[in-house]
Amino acid sequence: MLKVRNLNKSFGDKVILNDISFDVNKGETVAIIGPSGSGKSTTLRCINLMEKPDSGSLTLAGKTYDYAALSKQDISNIRKSTAMVFQNFSLYENKTAIQNITLPLIKGKGYSKKDATEEALKQLEKVGLTEWKDHYPAQLSGGQQQRVGIARALALKPDVILFDEPTSALDPERVQGILGIIKEISKQRITSVIVTHELEFALDVADRVILIADGIIVEEGSAREVLKNPKDPRAIKFLGHFADKLEYII
Ligand SMILES: Nc1ncnc2c1ncn2[C@@H]1O[C@H](COP(=O)(O)OP(=O)(O)OP(=O)(O)O)[C@@H](O)[C@H]1O
Ligand SMILES: [Mg+2]
């Protein structure tokens, strides 16, 4: 479904991503973990072209795109095939929950207002927010705002959903609810990539785990393999910070 090859990205003279290559098969959930500043968000942002990669290629839904030679049509195709769920929710503050979902459907996907509303209601119901549909983001808790972010991503029916630390801005008591929703999405075999610090969740839900350090994939495998038997010194150091937790969950 998603094939990233030799993705390179620098900011100024600083290399941020160094030849990143990985696959996500249809229906798979892949977790990306790694130290702060290692390039996890940049990887997701390059995949959906919020950042322009310097070089490499992407195969998405059967079509291969060369990052060095993207046409306007390519950019539009890639953006339509991916949906992002952000750490800070990224909702329009002056739009209600339902409008946050219908707007991209109408503007980005050419839905009629009626069809967009129907789809938005369906997705809001899935995340348990039907009664909150006419509330503005400021009237919703962080967890509820993230549910809107997830409902919006689902409504777009992308080929892949990219989650960038979807729970790290939430109060601790809201985290499990959101992780539960993401687990449901994963069970429905919706292709997804999740950047997360929730290692227990990665172990529970991810088909595979990728560990990025210094812009390089240093470990890749089943969650158990990566978390239990890391081989790269940078991975060992990173996972060392979670030693107590890992001992308990593995
Ligand atoms: N637009 C930008 N301009 C310059 N440098 C950037 C930009 N975006 C990210 N960086 C740098 O790229 C590096 C990787 O950032 P990135 O956000 O991908 O890390 P991360 O692994 O997601 O970290 P965290 O776990 O803290 O979210 C960091 O050193 C960051 O400062
Ligand atoms: Mg990040």
Side-chain angles (χ1 to χ4, degrees):
M1 172 58 77
L2 179 88
K3 206 182 262 195
V4 176
R5 284 294 172 274
N6 309 103
L7 167 59
N8 287 286
K9 176 70 183 170
S10 297
F11 287 115
D13 56 7
K14 196 162 170 241
V15 176
I16 303 297
L17 301 179
N18 189 351
D19 251 347
I20 295 278
S21 297
F22 65 94
D23 291 351
V24 184
N25 297 320
K26 194 169 166 54
E28 252 189 339
T29 299
V30 169
I32 299 182
I33 61 173
S36 179
S38 59
K40 304 180 301 293
S41 296
T42 306
T43 301
L44 295 192
R45 292 165 62 84
C46 281
I47 291 174
N48 83 339
L49 299 179
M50 284 172 75
E51 296 288 355
K52 190 182 176 312
D54 297 333
S55 61
S57 70
L58 172 73
T59 304
L60 188 55
K63 196 167 178 327
T64 298
Y65 304 90
D66 178 355
Y67 281 139
L70 290 174
S71 68
K72 276 199 172 148
Q73 187 60 52
D74 291 342
I75 294 171
S76 162
N77 287 349
I78 292 172
R79 293 214 172 118
K80 277 189 187 151
S81 287
T82 56
M84 189 103 156
V85 175
F86 300 89
Q87 177 176 354
N88 61 358
F89 326 130
S90 286
L91 302 177
Y92 297 109
E93 289 297 326
N94 60 342
K95 305 275 178 219
T96 61
I98 190 164
Q99 288 167 342
N100 265 282
I101 302 171
T102 54
L103 195 74
L105 291 177
I106 295 166
K107 292 250 154 97
K109 300 218 114 180
Y111 276 52
S112 67
K113 184 151 188 247
K114 179 171 169 286
D115 289 349
T117 303
E118 203 171 291
E119 179 62 30
L121 286 172
K122 193 167 109 193
Q123 299 303 341
L124 282 168
E125 188 184 348
K126 272 196 204 161
V127 298
L129 276 189
T130 305
E131 285 166 39
W132 297 84
K133 68 184 174 60
D134 296 321
H135 285 67
Y136 288 88
Q139 300 169 320
L140 300 172
S141 71
Q144 288 172 325
Q145 291 184 59
Q146 192 58 296
R147 283 167 201 251
V148 176
I150 293 172
R152 174 175 62 185
L154 289 169
L156 290 166
K157 305 216 165 32
D159 292 307
V160 54
I161 301 187
L162 309 169
F163 294 89
D164 192 0
E165 297 202 38
T167 60
S168 55
L170 300 179
D171 296 334
E173 69 267 28
R174 313 263 186 211
V175 169
Q176 289 310 320
I178 294 297
L179 292 179
I181 290 174
I182 298 173
K183 185 172 176 177
E184 279 308 308
I185 292 172
S186 170
K187 271 197 206 153
Q188 290 163 32
R189 309 307 290 165
I190 294 174
T191 312
S192 48
V193 183
I194 305 182
V195 171
T196 184
H197 287 297
E198 302 284 342
L199 299 187
E200 194 170 1
F201 174 74
L203 195 62
D204 184 23
V205 172
D207 296 297
R208 261 172 323 113
V209 168
I210 288 170
L211 199 158
I212 297 184
D214 298 331
I216 299 169
I217 294 182
V218 295
E219 300 282 345
E220 183 174 357
S222 72
R224 196 160 287 279
E225 273 162 22
V226 170
L227 299 182
K228 198 166 183 179
N229 285 318
K231 291 165 198 77
D232 182 277
R234 285 163 293 196
I236 293 168
K237 182 167 176 235
F238 171 68
L239 291 169
H241 299 304
F242 301 90
D244 289 354
K245 189 153 202 188
L246 286 171
E247 195 176 327
Y248 166 70
I249 62 178
I250 295 186

